[in-house]
Amino acid sequence: MCSLLWDIAVLAFSRHPDGLRCLFFTELWERFSFYGLSAILVLYLVLPVDEGGLGYATDDAVVLYGNYAMAVYLLSVAGGFIADRWTGPDRAVLIGGVIITAGHALMALGHSAAALLTGLGFVAAGTGLLKPNISVLVGQLYAADDDRRDAGFSLFYMGINVGAFLAPLICGYLAQSDRFRDALAELGLDPRTSWHWGFGAAGVGMLLGLIVFVARRWPAIRAARPGTGWSRPVAPPSGWADLSRRFGVIAFFCACSILFFSVLQQAAASLNLFADRYTRTELFGWVFPSSWFQSVPALYVIVLAPLFSALWIRLGTRQPDSATKMVIGLFAAAAALAVMIPAAAAAQTAAVSPLWLLAVYGLIGIGEMCLSPVGLSSVTQIAPARLVGVAMGAWFVAAGLGGKLAGEFSAWLNLDAVDGLADAFARQAGLILVGALLLAGICRLIRDTARRLATTAPDPETPTALLAGDTP
């Protein structure tokens, strides 16, 4: 399967630097591990102890997930700084992958809350090293004025979502499937440990990502980026005024990210529980695990990514600026929550059709393609190269804060009772819409500045080397 996917990628990425394929597959398997864990974590937490879970209250489970999602991205600032100051992005990616794999091993082998929390800590720390720096490597493949840049990040983002699509199917099957539990019983194993097989499968995904990165790094990334061995970013210094403008624009991008991810990350929290409790999980007489719904957003992105990539390339200089694209993504997120209003109302009488969630995830997918890969591209493009790791860390911290909000919003919904869900989703949709309108107004003020900074080098007055920790 990996060989076939690689051959397809060779054709699809023929207009892009060769190193993109290596990073595409590395991130694919890292995201497999992340989304495999996310698909089953909340369900495992709320499952009664006698059924193999930890017996958490629903509110506690979704808040814990929000804290984990925040920590995963909050540590990205430290990961970016470590790469900028000491390791370079290549080595940070490798070390982070090893730590993530160790975290999944702890959760697979340990059957206690302590083992789970320790494993989550390892995964969060490793992701903090890996996540911002693999995006830095992608950004370094393109010149600042390369029209292929957003398209390249869209294809890279498709790799993220191939992993996100496969992970819930495999990890969810191992965790929730009666057939797999019966197989464990036949082997003399406790079927209640099926959840830990799901955690272990997620770790295998990260291990595959490490193998791809090490095996493909030399012929791909080194060929696309000059230098030998591990890389260190090198860039001209930047003036303080110019630096403040650049990070001001990045702050706008981060505000968009917080708002959008407060909706997107509910896929593993409130929408996950809505699918499990209030949505039919049967198709033509075949019952499937509720966690499989979490493959749907990724499937949408896999379908949409090449379309958006082709659209941006076709439009060339006529495509919307990055700030406008991101605001469009926010309106799509507000529309997705609006669709949940009639879905929640219908759930008061009976389990609802899966088409409701398919529509919600479709709108989120459109918004995601307008915001997330564009944000990755824009931050690496605007940030001074000596601080690009820190800037990417800030972008992922914003995503983490959005994840924390997603957990709080999910607890606010009170998913233990279907009554009142429609009103709660309506309030959320209204909040996201107001936020989108405010950011649309700010967008009109800063988009010309953002466009100019994306195509100009930093000013040469105040050394960014000092900010990066280098001595003069």
Side-chain angles (χ1 to χ4, degrees):
M1 178 180 176
C2 290
S3 176
L4 175 60
L5 286 174
W6 187 269
D7 291 340
I8 294 172
V10 170
L11 178 61
F13 295 4
S14 59
R15 297 184 62 183
H16 294 272
D18 188 54
L20 184 62
R21 281 181 285 146
C22 169
L23 300 174
F24 172 95
F25 279 95
T26 302
E27 182 69 347
L28 183 160
W29 289 114
E30 186 274 328
R31 291 289 90 181
F32 178 97
S33 75
F34 176 81
Y35 284 103
L37 171 59
S38 296
I40 60 177
L41 178 59
V42 170
L43 300 177
Y44 171 71
L45 290 172
V46 301
L47 193 72
V49 174
D50 58 1
E51 296 180 27
L54 293 182
Y56 276 47
T58 299
D59 287 358
D60 293 337
V62 293
V63 169
L64 175 59
Y65 171 78
N67 291 336
Y68 160 69
M70 179 176 65
V72 161
Y73 294 111
L74 193 66
L75 292 171
S76 294
V77 169
F81 178 80
I82 289 169
D84 286 342
R85 181 65 181 89
W86 292 295
T87 66
D90 314 59
R91 187 174 295 171
V93 168
L94 181 61
I95 295 171
V98 171
I99 296 173
I100 292 170
T101 303
H104 282 289
L106 283 171
M107 288 183 282
L109 299 175
H111 294 188
S112 65
L116 178 79
L117 295 175
T118 303
L120 290 176
F122 271 69
V123 172
T127 304
L129 276 171
L130 187 150
K131 187 66 177 167
N133 291 300
I134 196 168
S135 299
V136 169
L137 292 176
V138 176
Q140 290 176 356
L141 297 176
Y142 298 92
D145 58 352
D146 193 332
D147 287 341
R148 302 173 301 167
R149 190 182 187 90
D150 279 1
F153 270 94
S154 291
L155 290 176
F156 173 72
Y157 203 71
M158 183 174 70
I160 292 175
N161 284 277
V162 170
F165 170 72
L166 295 174
L169 298 179
I170 295 173
C171 298
Y173 174 82
L174 294 176
Q176 292 184 288
S177 169
D178 290 336
R179 183 175 299 178
F180 182 70
R181 290 172 181 168
D182 291 342
L184 290 177
E186 290 176 3
L187 293 172
L189 302 174
D190 186 350
R192 295 177 300 176
T193 63
S194 61
W195 295 90
H196 298 277
W197 287 83
F199 295 143
V204 170
M206 185 65 257
L207 183 61
L208 289 172
L210 287 173
I211 293 171
V212 169
F213 185 72
V214 172
R216 298 287 183 176
R217 174 169 53 86
W218 294 107
I221 298 179
R222 286 189 70 200
R225 297 162 58 245
T228 58
W230 301 103
S231 66
R232 282 294 307 274
V234 177
S238 175
W240 289 108
D242 180 70
L243 196 66
S244 65
R245 286 192 296 270
R246 291 178 182 276
F247 276 92
V249 171
I250 290 172
F252 169 81
F253 293 158
C254 289
C256 292
S257 178
I258 292 171
L259 200 61
F260 182 79
F261 275 84
S262 71
V263 179
L264 175 64
Q265 293 286 0
Q266 290 191 56
S270 64
L271 298 180
N272 195 9
L273 291 169
F274 187 88
D276 188 58
R277 297 175 179 179
Y278 306 121
T279 305
R280 294 198 302 271
T281 55
E282 182 177 336
L283 184 65
F284 303 119
W286 173 58
V287 179
F288 57 90
S290 61
S291 57
W292 281 16
F293 275 108
Q294 290 192 65
S295 288
V296 175
L299 180 60
Y300 276 118
V301 173
I302 292 168
V303 173
L304 292 172
L307 299 179
F308 274 84
S309 178
L311 176 64
W312 302 147
I313 289 179
R314 183 175 181 83
L315 291 175
T317 57
R318 295 180 291 111
Q319 63 184 283
D321 59 272
S322 297
T324 300
K325 291 176 184 175
M326 297 176 78
V327 169
I328 293 171
L330 295 180
F331 284 113
L337 286 177
V339 172
M340 284 302 300
I341 299 170
Q348 294 181 27
T349 56
V352 300
S353 167
L355 293 178
W356 287 109
L357 285 177
L358 294 181
V360 169
Y361 288 138
L363 288 166
I364 290 176
I366 292 171
E368 193 172 357
M369 289 309 306
C370 290
L371 188 139
S372 199
V374 172
L376 293 174
S377 172
S378 298
V379 171
T380 61
Q381 191 175 21
I382 290 174
R386 293 299 290 270
L387 296 174
V388 70
V390 172
M392 284 308 307
W395 167 258
F396 287 117
V397 164
L401 293 174
K404 172 61 175 175
L405 280 178
E408 297 296 333
F409 284 163
S410 297
W412 178 29
L413 289 171
N414 187 21
L415 285 150
D416 288 328
V418 71
D419 294 338
L421 268 184
D423 290 341
F425 276 118
R427 289 192 293 271
Q428 279 197 34
L431 284 174
I432 300 301
L433 179 60
V434 170
L437 289 170
L438 290 174
L439 289 170
I442 297 173
C443 173
R444 293 175 62 86
L445 301 176
I446 62 95
R447 61 186 179 189
D448 289 339
T449 300
R451 188 184 297 112
R452 184 176 64 255
L453 292 175
T455 57
T456 57
D459 291 340
E461 296 175 2
T462 303
T464 56
L466 295 177
L467 296 176
D470 294 345
T471 55

